[in-house]
Amino acid sequence: FIVVNADVITTIDENLALVKQAGLSLCGHFVLPPRDWLVNFYGPYLERIAQLRDTYAGDAHATSVLDELFHDFDVYRRYGHEFGYLMMVMRRPQ
C-alpha cells in the first residue's frame, strides 16, 4: 500500500521510482489526457457551479464557496500544461 501526498507534485520518473521502492510491479501507466479533464470532469463541474450560483444568488457564504470551487478549474485552465495526473496499475510480486 502506497500513500502519496497529493499536495506534492513529482515527476513521472519519481512516481515510478516509488513503485519500485515499494517492491511492486508496474503493469502500465499513462498520463490522463487534458480532454478527459476538460470534457468529462470540468464540463459538468462548471455547469453545476453555474446552477448553484443561480440557486444561491445573494448568499455571500455560498458564493464564497463556489468561488473557491471555481478556483480549482481556473488553476487547471491557467497552468494545466505544467502538470498532469499519472495513472498507474501495479501489482504485488508473485
Side-chain angles (χ1 to χ4, degrees):
F1 184 79
I2 298 175
V3 176
V4 177
N5 184 346
D7 293 332
V8 177
I9 296 177
T10 59
T11 67
I12 292 172
D13 288 341
E14 289 169 327
N15 280 289
L16 297 179
L18 288 173
V19 172
K20 196 174 204 176
Q21 288 172 11
L24 299 172
S25 253
L26 182 68
C27 300
H29 70 282
F30 65 94
V31 174
L32 199 61
R35 183 181 190 289
D36 288 354
W37 284 103
L38 293 171
V39 173
N40 299 322
F41 181 72
Y42 284 119
Y45 182 86
L46 294 172
E47 285 177 27
R48 186 65 177 140
I49 288 174
Q51 292 168 353
L52 292 171
R53 283 193 191 283
D54 289 341
T55 301
Y56 293 100
D59 181 328
H61 178 70
T63 298
S64 173
V65 170
L66 294 170
D67 288 346
E68 288 179 36
L69 292 172
F70 182 81
H71 177 71
D72 179 59
F73 166 72
D74 194 43
V75 168
Y76 184 82
R77 180 184 60 81
R78 294 168 66 194
Y79 305 107
H81 63 282
E82 296 181 27
F83 66 89
Y85 293 86
L86 178 66
M87 303 303 197
M88 298 182 287
V89 176
M90 300 160 275
R91 67 177 175 181
R92 292 185 181 126
Q94 305 257 348

